[in-house]
C-alpha cells in the first residue's frame, strides 16, 4: 500500500532519474575539446614511422602522472570528449632531439602548427563542418632548457627577445587559425617560476644550464601581452594558480592538474552561457 510519503519519494526519485538522463544525453552531444601542448598536456612522447621516437618513447613518471588531457576527461562538468594532440617534450616548432648528445637526431617533435592541423582534422567532416568549439593551447618547452632548440646543446644559450617573439608568432598563428575555424582558443598564464624546482630538473638530466627567472618571466609576460593584444577573442585563465610539482620538480601533481581541469571546465561553461545571450 502506497503512502503519501512513499509516493513523494518515488516521484522525487523519478525526477532525479530524468534529470540524470537528460544530463547524460546533453553530454553525449557536447562538442569535443581540443588540446595541444607539451608534457603538461600529454604524458607520452610521440612515435613516428618505423617506431622511431625521441627519448625512447618514455612517458612522464613512467606513466604514473595525470596529464591535463586525462584530467579533462575525468572532469565531471565536461563530456569527456577530448582530442589530445599534445606531445611530451614539444616546442612550438619542429625540432630534433639533442639529448644526451652531442649530436642531434631525428625524428624529434612536431611543432604547434602541425599539432593543431592534426587536432582540427579529427573534428572536420567531409563537408567541412567543424564540431569542436574550444581548444586549450598549453605553453611548451621553448626557452626552458638546452634540449629545446633542435641544435647541439653546447651551442645553446638563453632565449633572445627575437627568439621569444618568433615562438609567440606561432601561438598567435595557431590561435587565429582556430578562430577562423569557429574554435575559441584558451590560454593560461604560466606557472610561477619559483613554484617549479628548476635545479632538480637540471640536475636530473645533467643539463649545462636551465632557464633563469628573469628570462622565464620576460617570456611569460611578453607572450601574454601579445596574445591579449593580437588574439583578444581568446579566453585567458590562470589554471596553474597554487601550482605544486611532483617529485621531478617540474610536472604538476595530481591536485594541481585536477584544479586546472576544473578551472578550464568552469570557464567553458561560463563562456557558453555568455555566448547564448
Amino acid at each position: 500500500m502506497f503512502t503519501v510519503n512513499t509516493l513523494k519519494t518515488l516521484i522525487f526519485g523519478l525526477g532525479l532519474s530524468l534529470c540524470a538522463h537528460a544530463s547524460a544525453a546533453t553530454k553525449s552531444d557536447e562538442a569535443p575539446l581540443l588540446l595541444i601542448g607539451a608534457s603538461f598536456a600529454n604524458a607520452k612522447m610521440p612515435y613516428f614511422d618505423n617506431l622511431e621516437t625521441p627519448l625512447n618513447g618514455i612517458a612522464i613518471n613512467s606513466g604514473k602522472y595525470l596529464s591535463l588531457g586525462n584530467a579533462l576527461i575525468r572532469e565531471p562538468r565536461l563530456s569527456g570528449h577530448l582530442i589530445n594532440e599534445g606531445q611530451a617534450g614539444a616546442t612550438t616548432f619542429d625540432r630534433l632531439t639533442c639529448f644526451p648528445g652531442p649530436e642531434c637526431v631525428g625524428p624529434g617533435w612536431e611543432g604547434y602548427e602541425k599539432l593543431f592541423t592534426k587536432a582540427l582534422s579529427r573534428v572536420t567532416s567531409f563537408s567541412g563542418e567543424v564540431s569542436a568549439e574550444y581548444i586549450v593551447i598549453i605553453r611548451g618547452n621553448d626557452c626552458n632548457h638546452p634540449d629545446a632548440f633542435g641544435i647541439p646543446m653546447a651551442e645553446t644559450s638563453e632565449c633572445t627577445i627575437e627568439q621569444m617573439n618568433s615562438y609567440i608568432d606561432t601561438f598567435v598563428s595557431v590561435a587565429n587559425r582556430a578562430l577562423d575555424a569557429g574554435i575559441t582558443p584558451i590560454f593560461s598564464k604560466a606557472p610561477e617560476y619559483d613554484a617549479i624546482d628548476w635545479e632538480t630538473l637540471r640536475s636530473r638530466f645533467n643539463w649545462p644550464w636551465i632557464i633563469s627567472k628573469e628570462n622565464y618571466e620576460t617570456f611569460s609576460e611578453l607572450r601574454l601581452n601579445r596574445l591579449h593584444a593580437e588574439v583578444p577573442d581568446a579566453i585567458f585563465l590562470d589554471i596553474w594558480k597554487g601550482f605544486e610539482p611532483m617529485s621531478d620538480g617540474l610536472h604538476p601533481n595530481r591536485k594541481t592538474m585536477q584544479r586546472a581541469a576544473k578551472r578550464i571546465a568552469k570557464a567553458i561553461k561560463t563562456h557558453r552561457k555568455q555566448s547564448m545571450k
Side-chain angles (χ1 to χ4, degrees):
M1 184 179 208
F2 285 107
T3 65
V4 173
N5 286 338
T6 302
L7 186 59
K8 286 181 178 178
T9 301
L10 287 172
I11 293 172
F12 179 72
L14 179 61
L16 288 178
S17 178
L18 290 172
C19 287
H21 179 75
S23 177
T26 301
K27 285 191 174 183
S28 294
D29 295 331
E30 192 169 296
L33 175 63
L34 307 184
L35 173 64
I36 63 172
S39 57
F40 280 24
N42 193 338
K44 299 178 293 184
M45 295 288 169
Y47 269 92
F48 300 100
D49 292 343
N50 301 318
L51 293 181
E52 293 180 293
T53 180
L55 303 181
N56 298 319
I58 192 172
I60 303 303
N61 200 30
S62 300
K64 295 177 288 185
Y65 163 66
L66 185 69
S67 67
L68 181 59
N70 285 340
L72 287 167
I73 289 172
R74 290 162 171 76
E75 169 52 43
R77 282 177 286 189
L78 297 175
S79 65
H81 303 157
L82 179 76
I83 300 296
N84 186 356
E85 291 294 341
Q87 295 180 349
T91 46
T92 56
F93 58 98
D94 297 358
R95 82 177 198 282
L96 301 175
T97 178
C98 305
F99 177 80
E103 299 86 8
C104 298
V105 297
W109 290 270
E110 294 173 335
Y112 281 24
E113 294 282 8
K114 287 182 180 177
L115 299 184
F116 174 69
T117 298
K118 286 183 174 183
L120 184 62
S121 72
R122 314 292 190 193
V123 295
T124 304
S125 69
F126 289 118
S127 63
E129 183 179 354
V130 176
S131 62
E133 296 176 354
Y134 299 92
I135 179 170
V136 180
I137 305 174
I138 299 297
R139 176 180 164 177
N141 286 275
D142 300 83
C143 299
N144 282 353
H145 52 73
D147 189 27
F149 294 83
I151 60 175
M153 291 195 293
E155 300 175 16
T156 64
S157 60
E158 293 215 70
C159 279
T160 63
I161 296 296
E162 182 181 11
Q163 287 174 311
M164 293 178 190
N165 275 312
S166 176
Y167 304 150
I168 297 166
D169 286 343
T170 302
F171 281 103
V172 172
S173 173
V174 169
N176 283 320
R177 285 180 61 196
L179 287 168
D180 288 343
I183 302 170
T184 300
I186 299 174
F187 291 107
S188 174
K189 177 183 176 183
E192 296 295 332
Y193 181 87
D194 291 334
I196 296 173
D197 186 349
W198 293 101
E199 182 54 32
T200 291
L201 179 65
R202 190 200 67 78
S203 298
R204 181 184 176 200
F205 293 102
N206 196 30
W207 281 328
W209 62 270
I210 201 77
I211 190 169
S212 66
K213 183 173 184 177
E214 179 182 6
N215 203 262
Y216 181 91
E217 292 180 347
T218 297
F219 187 22
S220 296
E221 183 177 3
L222 182 62
R223 174 177 165 270
L224 280 182
N225 286 344
R226 280 196 54 191
L227 288 172
H228 274 288
E230 298 174 50
V231 197
D233 292 329
I235 296 172
F236 294 91
L237 306 174
D238 184 4
I239 66 172
W240 306 120
K241 183 178 180 181
F243 184 98
E244 296 176 8
M246 301 192 310
S247 59
D248 67 0
L250 171 64
H251 295 97
N253 64 16
R254 192 176 189 88
K255 180 174 69 173
T256 299
M257 204 62 92
Q258 289 171 327
R259 281 197 305 241
K262 288 182 185 300
R263 287 164 178 157
I264 291 170
K266 182 179 179 181
I268 288 174
K269 295 297 184 184
T270 300
H271 187 266
R272 278 189 180 135
K273 287 180 180 178
Q274 292 174 344
S275 300
M276 292 171 63
K277 290 180 180 180

